[in-house]
Amino acid sequence: MNTLSIALKELKQEVRNRWTLVFMLAFPIVLILILGTALTNAFESTAQIGDIRVLVKDNGENPALTQAFKAFTQETAGMGLTFEQLAPGADARKEVEADHYDEYVELSDQGVLLYLSGRDPIQGNVVQGMLTAFAQQYNAIMAIEKNAPGQAEGALAAGAANQREYIKETSIAADRQPGSIDYYAMAMTSMIALWSSLSASRLITGEIRQGTSMRLAASPVAKGEIFAGKVLGNMVTNLLCVILLILFSKFAFNAYWGEHPGAVMAVLSSEVIMAVSLGLAVSYVLKEAATQGVILIFTQVAAFLGGAYFPMGELGPLAAAANLSPVRWANVAITQIIYNNQVSAMWPVVALNLSLGIVLLAAAAWMMRRKEGL
């Protein structure tokens, strides 16, 4: 009962503290908005091709090909691909070299001849792919006409009705990728979970500074109950901040948190437990001023290496140091859970955070027990 009363007191005290609201909620929300808006282009992975203009020269040597190609151009009219006939007396090569057109196609008794400008490989591949699909369909129709005269028109109509797309786009990595808002919502939440160590480092030193530690030590409440109550209250407070940040980013910024919220919360909760244990243990080893400085430096370096401020990508020589960052552990695991549906990715991170948390919390409890007072 005493433990719950102390935990409730800690929760009320932190909620009333305006600095808790500023640093644990307002500050990360502003960072998500600023960084997520300013660095939107850094997360865009889609190549914009734009409209493609193709110059066509029809020698009139193959009426069947002319008719089929006309039907093909009508079907592709809404796909960003425009075919225009070469004007009489114009030089197709000069028109393409002058950048009036992107590519050049010639229809003759030999079939379809494509001349690529080479200016934009992506556009060239698009035109080449579509014409290859057209040529395959045309050859099939001609084979039907040769073996079953009079059936080609019906086959052509059926093909046009059932297969309007000459290019089917398939992603090699079909899983959803995070946008800028998605990324910073996840990264800032992981960073705030680690910042729990800052408030935890003041749990005991704050009582000493206010002169209430001796009263608590002299009260008929066991040290273990005081310790457990303060730790529990601090953990609950920081978990509430994490949950509020997730909900705000989801509904206000439309950040995507995936379909496994339980696994995501398990990772973040374990990080909060580890961070609180870390802050409390360091506060018993160092003096108050030194504790705040060490914790602040550690959290900022860990946030930087963990990709809280910008994606780190290929880290090179920093890879070994980055792998020591709890923020990076959480970010990697949460990314795999959200975007790859790999719920099992949470177990190594949760196990590591809880193991460190238990060791640090046990060390802090042992030092408190040996110390006179709190």
Side-chain angles (χ1 to χ4, degrees), residues 117-140:
S117 65
R119 281 191 296 266
D120 191 327
I122 297 179
Q123 289 185 348
N125 289 335
V126 169
V127 176
Q128 185 175 7
M130 296 184 77
L131 288 177
T132 299
F134 162 74
Q136 291 174 350
Q137 186 179 25
Y138 173 76
N139 291 334

Side-chain angles (χ1 to χ4, degrees), residues 119-191:
R119 281 191 296 266
D120 191 327
I122 297 179
Q123 289 185 348
N125 289 335
V126 169
V127 176
Q128 185 175 7
M130 296 184 77
L131 288 177
T132 299
F134 162 74
Q136 291 174 350
Q137 186 179 25
Y138 173 76
N139 291 334
I141 296 299
M142 290 300 100
I144 294 174
E145 180 66 23
K146 181 179 179 179
N147 294 284
Q151 301 298 318
E153 185 176 352
L156 181 61
N162 296 328
Q163 191 173 356
R164 293 286 184 180
E165 296 183 0
Y166 284 86
I167 288 184
K168 292 185 178 180
E169 181 179 330
T170 303
S171 174
I172 295 176
D175 297 316
R176 175 173 177 167
Q177 296 297 317
S180 56
I181 293 293
D182 301 325
Y183 177 83
Y184 284 109
M186 174 184 65
M188 288 300 146
T189 305
S190 301
M191 183 181 73

Side-chain angles (χ1 to χ4, degrees), residues 194 196-203 205 272-285 291-292 295 360 364:
L194 184 62
S196 304
S197 57
L198 288 169
S199 60
S201 66
R202 299 190 298 268
L203 281 177
T205 56
V272 168
I273 294 172
M274 186 275 297
V276 170
S277 303
L278 174 65
L280 194 57
V282 173
S283 69
Y284 274 106
V285 176
T291 299
Q292 294 292 308
I295 293 294
L360 293 170

Side-chain angles (χ1 to χ4, degrees), residues 95-103 116-121 123:
E95 290 291 327
V96 174
E97 288 178 349
D99 201 15
H100 296 158
Y101 297 91
D102 298 302
E103 318 296 346
L116 300 176
S117 65
R119 281 191 296 266
D120 191 327
Q123 289 185 348

